[in-house]
Amino acid sequence: MISEAVVEALKGFVPGENVQLQEPMAGHTTFRIGGPADCFVQLENEAQLIKVQRYLKLVEIPFFVMGNGSNLLVSDKGYEGVVLQIGPRMNAIQVEDCQIRAEAGATLAQVARVALEHGLTGLEFASGIPGTVGGGVVMNAGAYGGEMSQVVTQVNVVNGQGETMELGNATMEFGYRTSTIRNNPFLVTEVTFRLTPGDREQIRQKMEELAVCRRQKQPLEYPSAGSTFKRPEGYFAGKLIMDAGMRGFQIGGARVSDKHCGFIINVGNATAQDVQDVICEVTERVKERLFVDLEPEIVFLG
């Protein structure tokens, strides 16, 4: 539990209405799953992040920083500590020539729409990704042949000591669903994209084509965290799961999607334990039958 003194201190760093106690995390994840966080704080700018981070480290209270919750599975018991959200209250986007600067809480879809409005091409692949810019950089998010490493030129972060740093593309160590931020205590606050002038109608058409493709191939009608597993080298996770006979496999309210076996979906009141049980069963079955190790792509909290 978070003490009254800590709550009052947090309210000194951010507006009081941005601090919620025993906040159900199911309302902040695309899985629509998760018990209560002891304390949930919505951040509005980098200065607030630095003050809150330094304070929580000083009083030795655990904290977790999240964005849109699109790649997150929170325990049914919730989280004992403070969840800091860099999300809708920290999502400003600025455009200058072929450059877009976006705060970490802006969604990739929002930035892609701004790029379209300004006739800039390069972010079409991100138009259907529900995650935030910050989360997208951390995991080098990508789809349909595009990924963050191709368009990001600078990432502003706060390090473990509460100091600001600027990381260029070359220092980000981008890889498949990873970056240097995954291995360091860095918190993303702003991302700069370098795009290319293009034809608005062609950009719009490309985004619409990808949207149709997503609707046809992905179970967007159900809550999920997107692709549940990373792509094993030389394979596709969804095909492996299908070949292992796991299409439609279900425990409680968690189910391997019939439309795309790479997705575990919440078909109704699924618990985090249901999802974890399905993940374990799928992983074991694919290993036993096809001799391939699957690694979850989603982040577990609690």
Side-chain angles (χ1 to χ4, degrees):
M1 296 291 291
I2 302 296
S3 71
E4 257 185 62
V6 169
V7 172
E8 287 308 307
L10 291 172
K11 288 181 178 179
F13 302 132
V14 304
E17 64 268 22
N18 291 13
V19 180
Q20 287 95 34
L21 299 180
Q22 294 299 304
E23 178 70 8
M25 292 303 295
H28 299 284
T29 68
T30 56
F31 243 140
R32 298 293 174 253
I33 293 172
D38 284 349
C39 186
F40 183 80
V41 179
Q42 293 175 300
L43 300 168
E44 297 180 346
N45 53 54
E46 182 182 80
Q48 289 179 5
L49 170 62
I50 291 172
K51 291 174 182 176
V52 172
Q53 179 214 43
R54 286 177 173 171
Y55 172 73
L56 292 176
K57 286 196 167 189
L58 180 67
V59 295
E60 299 183 333
I61 291 177
F63 65 92
F64 178 83
V65 180
M66 66 173 288
N68 199 37
S70 61
N71 198 39
L72 186 63
L73 179 64
V74 181
S75 163
D76 299 312
K77 294 179 180 178
Y79 179 68
E80 294 183 359
V82 179
V83 172
L84 305 177
Q85 186 189 44
I86 298 178
R89 297 175 187 264
M90 191 172 166
N91 66 352
I93 301 172
Q94 295 179 315
V95 182
E96 185 176 341
D97 297 324
C98 295
Q99 191 169 273
I100 295 181
R101 293 171 56 195
E103 288 188 305
T107 67
L108 287 168
Q110 287 173 330
V111 180
R113 283 196 297 272
V114 170
L116 166 63
E117 291 165 6
H118 287 79
L120 297 173
T121 182
L123 267 176
E124 291 88 335
F125 75 90
S127 59
I129 299 177
T132 59
V133 165
V137 164
V138 172
M139 66 176 293
N140 189 21
Y144 300 105
E147 61 181 24
M148 297 290 277
S149 64
Q150 299 166 355
V151 290
V152 169
T153 58
Q154 181 176 300
V155 181
N156 292 12
V157 301
V158 173
N159 66 19
Q161 287 71 51
E163 303 162 336
T164 59
M165 297 173 59
E166 295 179 356
L167 306 177
N169 184 290
T171 61
M172 281 295 295
E173 298 177 12
F174 284 120
Y176 175 65
R177 299 297 176 262
T178 191
S179 70
T180 189
I181 297 173
R182 278 222 144 148
N183 305 311
N184 288 283
F186 297 156
L187 304 176
V188 180
T189 57
E190 186 179 84
V191 176
T192 303
F193 300 87
R194 171 71 65 177
L195 304 175
T196 306
D199 180 82
R200 281 188 180 85
E201 195 49 46
Q202 290 183 358
I203 296 169
R204 179 180 288 106
Q205 186 175 343
K206 180 65 174 178
M207 290 170 66
E208 289 175 354
E209 288 173 1
L210 294 181
V212 169
C213 191
R214 281 189 174 92
R215 287 194 296 271
Q216 290 176 341
K217 297 183 177 180
Q218 298 178 10
L220 302 181
E221 64 272 28
Y222 291 101
S224 77
S227 297
T228 306
F229 300 95
K230 294 180 181 179
R231 185 180 68 239
E233 191 171 349
Y235 300 93
F236 290 100
K239 187 174 188 311
L240 287 170
I241 294 166
M242 181 176 65
D243 291 347
M246 299 298 284
R247 169 179 271 168
F249 177 79
Q250 184 169 335
I251 295 177
R255 180 182 179 91
V256 175
S257 169
D258 297 85
K259 185 184 285 188
H260 190 316
C261 293
F263 284 62
I264 293 177
I265 56 178
N266 178 358
V267 296
N269 299 316
T271 64
Q273 191 60 56
D274 291 340
V275 176
Q276 289 182 302
D277 289 345
V278 171
I279 288 173
C280 287
E281 192 64 31
V282 166
T283 303
E284 289 177 12
R285 198 81 65 89
V286 169
K287 178 67 171 177
E288 287 172 3
R289 297 185 179 181
L290 302 170
F291 312 106
V292 179
D293 292 309
L294 288 180
E295 182 183 351
E297 184 174 303
I298 58 179
V299 175
F300 300 91
L301 177 65

